[in-house]
Amino acid sequence: LAKTTQPISMDSYEGQEVNITCSHNNIATNDYITWYQQFPSQGPRFIIQGYKTKVTNEVASLFIPADRKSSTLSLPRVSLSDTAVYYCLVGDMGGGADGLTFGKGTHLIIQP
Amino acid sequence: NAGVTQTPKFRVLKTGQSMTLLCAQDMNHEYMYWYRQDPGMGLRLIHYSVGEGTTAKGEVPDGYNVSRLKKQNFLLGLESAAPSQTSVYFCASSSTQGIGNQPQHFGDGTRLSIL
């Protein structure tokens, strides 16, 4: 079971690009990297998922180096509404609970 | 689209009482999960199911039981509630289609207090 390490908290300002890095040194060949966002009093919401290189959607980009031992979630031009907890998960949903360890996540605070 | 619906949203119990939390999903997902989230903590997996009629233990299963009699429903039971089970409970579901980790869809949670 690949474990992840993220910063506990980060601060930034509106309009800035924010990069949150997740370390997963024990990632396995079949593992994918998935990021979720959670607002207070709500369940987590899927943001982005990737296996290698770069993935981009309308919300964020995910950068994964060749060795896949880390990944970086990039949020372009953040706003106050991006203040939330961000979780990095690593695993392969092969019918078990692998990849379902959320950890404490990164609490991102965006200031005006 | 309702997605994942949890019932009830709030509940207060006395120690020793029992109750069942209901999770319903309308996305025809095979996998369903129950998590608990305590203040300042991430989500911890209690039990999960990979299909109708199946259940499996997660990280913190003690004191809880689950049942998946219908594909769309996943029930979490507390037989004898304890104050340590005061938490916010989240249900989620995911598809088996495609490759890799299929994203989980979460409900809005059940806030449970045990006095």
Side-chain angles (χ1 to χ4, degrees):
Chain A
L1 178 63
K3 293 187 177 181
T4 61
T5 302
Q6 306 174 231
I8 295 296
S9 64
M10 293 180 66
D11 293 330
S12 189
Y13 295 90
E14 283 190 294
Q16 299 295 307
E17 178 185 76
V18 171
N19 296 311
I20 305 174
T21 297
C22 179
S23 297
H24 28 81
N25 292 321
N26 297 324
I27 190 168
T29 303
N30 295 331
D31 286 345
Y32 280 71
I33 302 158
T34 311
W35 285 80
Y36 289 84
Q37 174 192 56
Q38 185 180 25
F39 296 114
S41 302
Q42 294 184 22
R45 182 174 68 100
F46 169 79
I47 301 176
I48 197 167
Q49 182 182 80
Y51 183 79
K52 62 180 179 180
T53 63
K54 177 183 175 182
V55 179
T56 298
N57 61 23
E58 64 278 7
V59 177
S61 294
L62 179 59
F63 297 92
I64 305 169
D67 66 6
R68 305 204 320 127
K69 293 184 182 298
S70 66
S71 58
T72 299
L73 174 72
S74 181
L75 305 173
R77 296 182 297 281
V78 294
S79 64
L80 296 176
S81 64
D82 291 315
T83 293
V85 179
Y86 293 82
Y87 297 97
C88 164
L89 277 73
V90 172
D92 171 25
M93 196 59 197
D98 191 20
L100 299 180
T101 301
F102 273 77
K104 296 184 180 181
T106 297
H107 189 191
L108 175 64
I109 300 173
I110 305 302
Q111 303 181 37
Chain B
N1 289 335
V4 177
T5 303
Q6 294 185 230
T7 308
K9 297 188 184 305
F10 305 93
R11 186 72 184 268
V12 178
L13 292 178
K14 294 182 179 179
T15 298
Q17 287 185 316
S18 63
M19 80 160 295
T20 300
L21 280 62
L22 172 63
C23 176
Q25 53 95 4
D26 62 1
M27 297 169 283
N28 201 35
H29 284 169
E30 287 292 333
Y31 293 176
M32 295 189 75
Y33 322 81
W34 275 107
Y35 294 87
R36 62 176 289 174
Q37 185 172 36
D38 301 304
M41 303 289 289
L43 284 77
R44 292 185 291 172
L45 183 65
I46 304 172
H47 287 281
Y48 65 99
S49 168
V50 300
E52 182 179 319
T54 75
T55 63
K57 294 181 179 180
E59 180 185 359
V60 288
D62 294 341
Y64 305 95
N65 56 77
V66 288
S67 64
R68 183 96 181 270
L69 299 180
K70 294 183 178 180
K71 185 177 183 178
Q72 63 268 33
N73 295 337
F74 196 28
L75 279 62
L76 178 70
L78 286 73
E79 291 186 349
S80 180
S84 61
Q85 294 178 304
T86 293
S87 188
V88 180
Y89 292 86
F90 288 102
C91 176
S93 69
S94 65
S95 169
T96 56
Q97 300 304 310
I99 57 175
N101 270 5
Q102 291 305 302
Q104 296 178 52
H105 299 254
F106 283 81
D108 287 334
T110 294
R111 284 146 187 80
L112 183 62
S113 294
I114 314 298
L115 304 179

